[in-house]
Amino acid sequence: MDVTRRFTENVIETMKNAIEEAGGNEVFFVGKIDENGMVVSVEIGARGNEDSVIVNNNAARTGHVLIHNHPSGNLRPSEADQSIAYNSSESSMGFYIVNNEVTDVYPVVEPIKPRKLLHTSPEEAAYFLSKDGPLAKKNKNYEERPSQIQLVKEITTALNGNKIGIFEAGTGVGKSFAYLIPSILWAVNNKERIVISTGTINLQQQLYEKDIPAAQEITGKKIKAVLLKGRQNYVCLRRLSDAVAEPSLFEEENEVINKIDEWAKTSSTGSRSDLSFNPPDNAWSRVNSESDGCMGGRCPYREDCFVMKVRKEAADANIIVVNHHLLFADIESRMSGAGYEDTAVLPPYKRIVFDEAHGIEDSATSFFSESFTRFKLLKQVNLLYRQWRGTRAGFLVQAAVVSSSEDFSEKADGAVEAIKEAIVILDQDAVLLLTDGFNVRIHHGNAQNYAEIFEDIKKLHGAVSAFVDLARNVIANIDDKDADIPAVWEAKTVLHRLESYCALFSDFINWDEHDDKVFWMQKVRLPPKTAGEEPVIFVQFYQTPLDIAPMMNKGVFEPMDSVVCTSATLRIENNFNYFMRRTGAGFAEKERLAAATFESPFPYKTNVLFGVPSDAPFPDSSYFQPYVEQTVPKLIEAAGGKTLVLFTSYDSLKYTYNATASALAGKGITLFKQGDDDRFRLLEKFKEDTQSVLFATDSFWEGVDVPGNSLSQVIIVKLPFAVPNDPVFAARSEDLEKKGGNPFMQLSVPQAVIKFRQGFGRLVRRGDDRGVIIVLDRRIVEKRYGKIFTTSVPMSRRMYNPLDQIISAIEKFF
């Protein structure tokens, strides 16, 4: 075939020279084509021998067509070539074979001609937020933020250049508008969809209900934006109908389901968050939509399906707002075979903006972890088959009515009893063995201690497998015409889950064959529901990815055209190495990476006092907790309440709360503590009572937004280092050490710094906010690594003085 119709003369010459320099052996090229289909440039991806060459996937991502030569001159595709052709067509790339002289070409797969993309001028995007732009004209008090202007330009450039942008934007920079305006302009100009992924529901709602409409008004561009939640947040009309038709044995649950049924008849969304009441999880789990239980086009309720409606809305949306968990569900589906060109969980897209990107690793770790407990397993078994007062029930019993299989009841009775016996023995043995703590990781140093557990899991695996085989036989003997009966469909869904549990049991038994996973157990203690009852104690078994970076690189950074990561806390000291290493962004070529910091415009130097008591005991001292219990009430009283106290331990929180309640009794300061109410209501009470104090741990270190008078002091009791015996943290530390790294400086400190910065950031939420941050852990000053913490937060007035002097300064400050 005439090569001049496929390649420019310069490309032909480049390939000929490269093949000659490789001694006539095979060379792998990646070509870029123009709108006419002509290859206008090539890059060498790899060099091989006379028979083969590897495919460089990193290089392949940047091009439109893969090219390699056959030294023999025979351009007929080999089996290996056919495999390359299949993979390239899956990713919409072409594949050519040429001879060594580049005088002949055989197009195995034709490339898709690229659309001409319209780049956005960074200056044009920035104009909308400038002092002369439309936002300024609508608001006479508008002040241009130089850091926001620069961030808009950087994000626009990242979209134009197909880059991975890692941008830290301090509180008050205005990062939402800084990425929304370039995203809207790009989506409108290029008819391309952009997915915005956030860490919290609050930010999702704010973007969808407030920021996106405002950004449309600013730009004058009309777009379609859709907020998508995980499927489990929507009611399934088929499952709801079944639950109403077949009431449970519990009257309270039936009442809740009937209320959901009445609401669903008039609801426009079917979303759990739109209910006027919060249904218990056991009731909601009977009626919510489930991916593995969806009948799709065969469902009798498909026309009114809430999930289908919102997905139809998303199909032609310019911007889709999701949370990290839903995005990872989509990425997992695409990596498992759905590909990147068609709809999976989400419609296809090639550009992502991660807001709250500091949480990517934790979100991915959580999503890709698997677990089982006694209760989770028995819930699925009971859905399929159960006995109650001599009556057999469950989806399998209903499905058996239309099955031609022989009566299975007696065998099923025995199989279910075997499962119950096996899981109870496993749970009891695990509870007894976990005497030293509530978490244990299985590793080569202790595996022999848990030989009994592995034997128990083997027996459980055998019992569940036998029951699955029995149920499969019932399903296999159902005629095709009855396959869409709801009970049959539900039975298949539950069977699929039980098979997934069997795969997890197998992984646990053969844990040492999975170096990329962490296997661990956690003892869970549930308080008694009523006084006088014993607490419920059971063990949860986990399988967690050791490192999500390779998965993120393969599933996100490599296949996407542009990925923008933004947060107020991404860097450690003055670099992004930790974030890039942990999330997989660091696998990308340097030329594709763009990273920058945009400082907060807020006046920390004048509005914030940062104090560390120099007379505090070190946290490992037995005097530290009594010191905390004496000091916290004094600090609260000095500030007149208005305080958020952040802990790393719930026990420390509880003891300090009790001591403070006693010390401040009758002084008009209301105390709240985490666990007294759900998070949302607790924060609302704290905001409303401007003299109140909130004692909190863990999740309250971030996502708490209390501007104004309700929050004027943040007390950080200890630097938030991860617990050394946390199973996943310990495994990642060990892995880092094996690779020659320093786990403390490369993992412990960076993790703690990010969390510390989040806690620090709770204080100043507006330009006129003033307040005090007190850290009771003097390691932040005394230890060498403390400087990493202090240089990672904005400069403010700082004190390292005895407590009495700090309290005097607080009183003067307010």
Side-chain angles (χ1 to χ4, degrees):
M1 189 173 287
D2 184 5
V3 293
T4 60
R5 294 174 58 189
R6 298 273 176 174
F7 307 108
T8 63
E9 287 184 18
N10 185 50
V11 166
I12 292 170
E13 198 61 32
T14 300
M15 289 198 293
K16 277 172 62 177
N17 292 339
I19 293 167
E20 283 178 20
E21 288 172 8
N25 288 311
E26 290 198 18
V27 180
F28 165 71
F29 301 94
V30 179
K32 290 188 177 179
I33 61 175
D34 61 17
E35 306 96 89
N36 302 314
M38 181 75 78
V39 180
V40 292
S41 68
V42 289
E43 286 185 17
I44 297 172
R47 298 174 181 84
N49 55 32
E50 61 183 12
D51 298 316
S52 63
V53 64
I54 65 166
V55 175
N56 184 331
N57 288 319
N58 261 342
R61 193 200 61 77
T62 63
H64 302 112
V65 58
L66 308 180
I67 309 161
H68 86 92
N69 58 305
H70 277 189
S72 66
N74 178 1
L75 305 191
R76 183 179 176 184
S78 64
E79 282 190 23
D81 289 330
Q82 296 286 14
S83 176
I84 294 170
Y86 174 78
N87 290 331
S88 65
S89 65
E90 283 286 290
S91 55
S92 301
M93 296 186 75
F95 178 43
Y96 296 167
I97 301 172
V98 297
N99 59 357
N100 277 16
E101 295 75 28
V102 198
T103 56
D104 197 7
V105 58
Y106 185 84
V108 185
V109 177
E110 292 288 355
I112 294 176
K113 294 176 184 177
R115 288 191 304 114
K116 191 170 184 180
L117 295 174
L118 296 175
H119 287 182
T120 306
S121 161
E123 286 70 28
E124 177 198 349
Y127 163 75
F128 292 103
L129 297 174
S130 71
K131 63 180 185 300
D132 301 316
L135 188 56
K137 288 171 183 172
K138 289 179 181 178
N139 183 354
K140 64 179 182 179
N141 296 319
Y142 180 78
E143 290 184 14
E144 180 183 299
R145 304 178 201 179
S147 52
Q148 185 184 47
I149 295 294
Q150 197 54 43
L151 178 56
V152 172
K153 290 179 179 179
E154 288 285 354
I155 292 174
T156 304
T157 301
L159 292 174
N160 288 342
N162 289 350
K163 290 183 177 292
I164 296 170
I166 300 168
F167 305 126
E168 179 177 290
T171 308
V173 166
K175 58 182 166 57
S176 296
F177 279 164
Y179 61 69
L180 283 175
I181 285 173
S183 297
I184 287 171
L185 296 175
W186 182 273
V188 170
N189 291 341
N190 294 293
K191 305 293 185 289
E192 276 196 355
R193 183 179 294 108
I194 292 183
V195 171
I196 297 173
S197 181
T198 77
T200 62
I201 292 173
N202 285 349
L203 183 53
Q204 275 184 280
Q205 297 287 152
Q206 180 186 314
L207 286 170
Y208 180 69
E209 295 171 3
K210 181 182 173 185
D211 294 345
I212 291 175
Q216 288 185 77
E217 191 176 342
I218 292 167
T219 58
K221 305 286 185 184
K222 189 70 179 170
I223 63 152
K224 182 176 181 181
V226 171
L227 170 63
L228 275 183
K229 301 174 186 176
R231 181 186 278 273
Q232 71 279 1
N233 288 286
Y234 300 94
V235 70
C236 170
L237 295 174
R238 176 182 62 80
R239 298 189 76 216
L240 178 60
S241 174
D242 291 346
V244 171
E246 296 177 24
S248 81
L249 299 167
F250 305 101
E251 195 52 43
E252 285 183 12
E253 186 176 298
N254 294 331
E255 287 177 10
V256 171
I257 285 173
N258 287 331
K259 283 176 73 176
I260 295 173
D261 184 47
E262 285 303 310
W263 162 80
K265 290 171 184 174
T266 57
S267 173
S268 60
T269 66
S271 173
R272 182 178 185 174
S273 63
D274 291 343
L275 278 163
S276 59
F277 62 97
N278 188 24
D281 288 342
N282 61 325
W284 183 254
S285 66
R286 285 190 64 198
V287 300
N288 69 304
S289 180
E290 297 174 322
S291 57
D292 54 0
C294 178
M295 295 178 69
R298 289 170 288 191
C299 180
Y301 296 89
R302 62 186 175 275
E303 296 300 322
D304 299 312
C305 174
F306 294 113
V307 173
M308 296 293 250
K309 282 179 182 177
V310 75
R311 286 194 169 178
K312 283 177 185 174
E313 286 295 304
D316 62 347
N318 306 95
I319 289 179
I320 298 177
V321 181
V322 299
N323 61 23
H324 297 335
H325 195 277
L326 183 60
L327 179 69
F328 291 137
D330 180 76
I331 295 296
E332 180 188 46
S333 178
R334 296 184 186 282
M335 291 174 72
S336 300
Y340 287 81
E341 304 305 317
D342 299 311
T343 295
V345 176
L346 305 176
Y349 53 93
K350 297 296 281 184
R351 300 177 195 275
I352 303 173
V353 175
F354 282 106
D355 200 346
E356 298 175 321
H358 64 276
I360 287 176
E361 183 184 14
D362 286 346
S363 293
T365 298
S366 171
F367 177 80
F368 290 105
S369 292
E370 297 176 72
S371 71
F372 72 92
T373 67
R374 178 174 98 222
F375 301 108
K376 281 184 178 180
L377 176 64
L378 292 180
K379 178 184 177 183
Q380 298 305 316
V381 171
N382 288 333
L383 284 172
L384 210 53
Y385 186 87
R386 61 189 178 275
Q387 278 198 72
W388 179 259
R389 294 177 180 173
T391 303
R392 295 180 175 94
F395 297 128
L396 194 61
V397 173
Q398 297 170 44
V401 174
V402 292
S403 175
S404 60
S405 65
E406 61 184 38
D407 182 47
F408 68 97
S409 302
E410 287 187 14
K411 288 181 180 177
D413 291 343
V416 169
E417 280 306 308
I419 292 172
K420 289 179 178 177
E421 183 181 341
I423 190 65
V424 167
I425 290 172
L426 168 62
D427 208 41
Q428 288 173 345
D429 288 345
V431 166
L432 291 172
L433 282 167
L434 265 65
T435 52
D436 295 335
F438 274 73
N439 290 327
V440 67
R441 172 174 66 101
I442 297 166
H443 55 85
H444 289 286
N446 70 358
Q448 69 277 6
N449 300 337
Y450 302 104
E452 191 176 354
I453 297 294
F454 298 133
E455 281 302 313
D456 289 346
I457 296 177
K458 277 183 187 176
K459 290 174 183 174
L460 178 62
H461 183 273
V464 176
S465 296
F467 180 57
V468 166
D469 289 343
L470 185 69
R472 279 276 168 225
N473 183 56
V474 173
I475 300 298
N477 284 285
I478 292 175
D479 196 278
D480 287 347
K481 67 179 174 58
D482 296 318
D484 289 345
I485 292 173
V488 175
W489 195 266
E490 293 279 9
K492 288 178 180 177
T493 300
V494 176
L495 270 178
H496 176 70
R497 291 177 193 152
L498 290 176
E499 286 169 340
S500 296
Y501 277 136
C502 285
L504 183 54
F505 301 154
S506 180
D507 285 349
F508 241 93
I509 295 162
N510 302 297
W511 66 272
D512 54 348
E513 296 176 9
H514 302 278
D515 292 339
D516 59 339
K517 300 284 196 303
V518 184
F519 293 88
W520 55 290
M521 298 176 284
Q522 179 179 47
K523 189 187 289 187
V524 181
R525 181 189 179 95
L526 298 179
K529 290 183 178 179
T530 56
E533 287 187 359
E534 289 292 315
V536 178
I537 300 174
F538 62 96
V539 172
Q540 187 147 9
F541 298 80
Y542 287 94
Q543 173 184 279
T544 297
L546 178 63
D547 183 3
I548 60 99
M551 194 186 315
M552 285 288 294
N553 176 55
K554 185 180 177 184
V556 177
F557 296 113
E558 208 174 78
M560 293 295 146
D561 286 344
S562 300
V563 181
V564 172
C565 302
T566 183
S567 167
T569 55
L570 293 179
R571 64 185 166 86
I572 305 296
E573 292 184 287
N574 294 311
N575 66 73
F576 297 93
N577 296 340
Y578 173 75
F579 176 81
M580 292 195 293
R581 187 171 66 245
R582 300 305 307 172
T583 61
F587 284 107
E589 315 89 83
K590 285 185 179 178
E591 305 75 41
R592 196 173 170 231
L593 288 168
T597 300
F598 304 90
E599 300 291 350
S600 169
F602 293 160
Y604 284 88
K605 287 183 181 178
T606 57
N607 284 18
V608 174
L609 171 64
F610 179 12
V612 181
S614 59
D615 50 1
F618 281 110
D620 59 357
S621 164
S622 60
Y623 298 106
F624 183 71
Q625 180 58 34
Y627 172 83
V628 172
E629 293 172 20
Q630 293 165 16
T631 301
V632 167
K634 294 176 183 177
L635 292 168
I636 290 170
E637 192 169 7
K642 310 174 185 180
T643 299
L644 172 64
V645 193
L646 293 172
F647 295 82
T648 57
S649 152
Y650 192 77
D651 281 345
S652 178
L653 180 157
K654 190 168 57 177
Y655 293 135
T656 308
Y657 173 88
N658 291 337
T660 305
S662 176
L664 298 182
K667 298 205 172 176
I669 296 174
T670 309
L671 305 184
F672 301 113
K673 79 171 185 296
Q674 185 176 343
D676 286 347
D677 207 335
D678 73 48
R679 178 189 167 95
F680 176 78
R681 283 196 289 267
L682 210 52
L683 282 173
E684 287 303 304
K685 289 176 183 176
F686 179 53
K687 287 178 186 178
E688 288 167 11
D689 187 339
T690 56
Q691 305 298 311
S692 65
V693 179
L694 175 58
F695 291 71
T697 183
D698 201 30
S699 63
F700 284 78
W701 282 72
E702 58 181 280
V704 174
D705 190 5
V706 185
N709 292 330
S710 293
L711 178 54
S712 296
Q713 179 172 241
V714 173
I715 301 172
I716 293 176
V717 173
K718 284 172 70 174
L719 295 179
F721 285 105
V723 181
N725 61 358
D726 173 85
V728 178
F729 175 81
R732 287 172 173 173
S733 296
E734 187 180 286
D735 182 60
L736 196 53
E737 194 166 16
K738 283 179 185 174
K739 293 172 180 174
N742 181 332
F744 183 70
M745 293 306 295
Q746 291 178 262
L747 190 62
S748 297
V749 170
Q751 268 191 11
V753 168
I754 294 293
K755 193 162 186 175
F756 173 76
R757 295 184 69 201
Q758 284 289 326
F760 189 100
R762 296 315 94 211
L763 181 66
V764 177
R765 308 305 297 170
R766 295 190 314 211
D768 58 352
D769 280 350
R770 298 177 71 252
V772 175
I773 290 179
I774 303 297
V775 177
L776 301 182
D777 187 341
R778 63 190 177 99
R779 289 178 297 179
I780 198 169
V781 176
E782 299 279 350
K783 300 294 183 181
R784 288 178 63 185
Y785 59 76
K787 190 177 179 182
I788 302 173
F789 287 84
T790 56
T791 57
S792 295
V793 293
M795 181 54 69
S796 57
R797 179 187 166 196
R798 295 183 178 182
M799 293 183 68
Y800 183 54
N801 300 81
L803 178 64
D804 289 347
Q805 293 180 26
I806 289 176
I807 287 175
S808 296
I810 292 171
E811 289 169 346
K812 288 177 184 176
F813 186 89
F814 288 117

